[in-house]
Amino acid sequence: MATASVTKATASPPAKTQAVEVSAPNRREFLYYIWGASILLLTGQATAGLVWFALPRFREGEFGGTFVYGADQMADMMPAPGAAPVSVPAGRFHLTYPENEGFLALYGVCTHLGCLPKWTPTTHRFECPCHGSKFQLDGKYIEGPAPRSLDRFRVTLTFADGTTATTNEAGDPIPLNGKQVVNIAVNTGARIKRPGRD
Ligand code: FES
């Protein structure tokens, strides 16, 4: 009689898993992490602030920024001496060239209550539609309730000989002395208030 042989499979013992010990940060490490994160946050905020201040607030050609006109635009933008001003509604200014004075960029807002005086060819002056203030071609007060002459913007002119001239702190007209202007830059972020009605 054949006897069945039974082979017992010998089971190998289960492999021992190695426990990885993860320790929670202690109080000192935790404070280091907080400190490091705070430094990173402050550095990021300071960098963002610097970039924000370094960027121009207004783009070229929008009110508050600079309006630039090159040589090919002089025929349209440069008024003849004593002629009607060139008005730029987007920049709220008028370019004027009062004879025997020089070049100016006048802020086109009335110094009384903020209406927009219009150039009136028949009287050759600016006339405010709201309360009737009048101003000369150079913005000087003529009559009406306006407390002072029209304000001015800082302008930089570039001449054909490569020299430049910029409006002074008082906002005086820039004398051209026969020089040909090839570039006009009007800074509508630099308003100059005239002290009174002169
Ligand atoms: S707002 Fe121009 S006169 Fe009053």
Side-chain angles (χ1 to χ4, degrees), residues 110 112-115 128 130-133 145:
C110 185
H112 181 221
L113 292 177
C115 291
C128 185
C130 294
H131 313 99
S133 289

Side-chain angles (χ1 to χ4, degrees), residues 21 42 54 63-64 80 91 98 129 137 145 155 159 188 194:
E21 202 172 305
L42 282 175
F63 184 74
L137 179 61
V155 182
F159 301 107
T188 59
R194 299 296 283 180

Side-chain angles (χ1 to χ4, degrees), residues 111-141:
T111 52
H112 181 221
L113 292 177
C115 291
L116 302 177
K118 298 271 183 297
W119 178 253
T120 309
T122 50
T123 53
H124 203 71
R125 63 190 184 186
F126 294 98
E127 297 185 0
C128 185
C130 294
H131 313 99
S133 289
K134 317 265 189 314
F135 306 90
Q136 298 175 16
L137 179 61
D138 61 1
K140 284 183 185 160
Y141 171 89

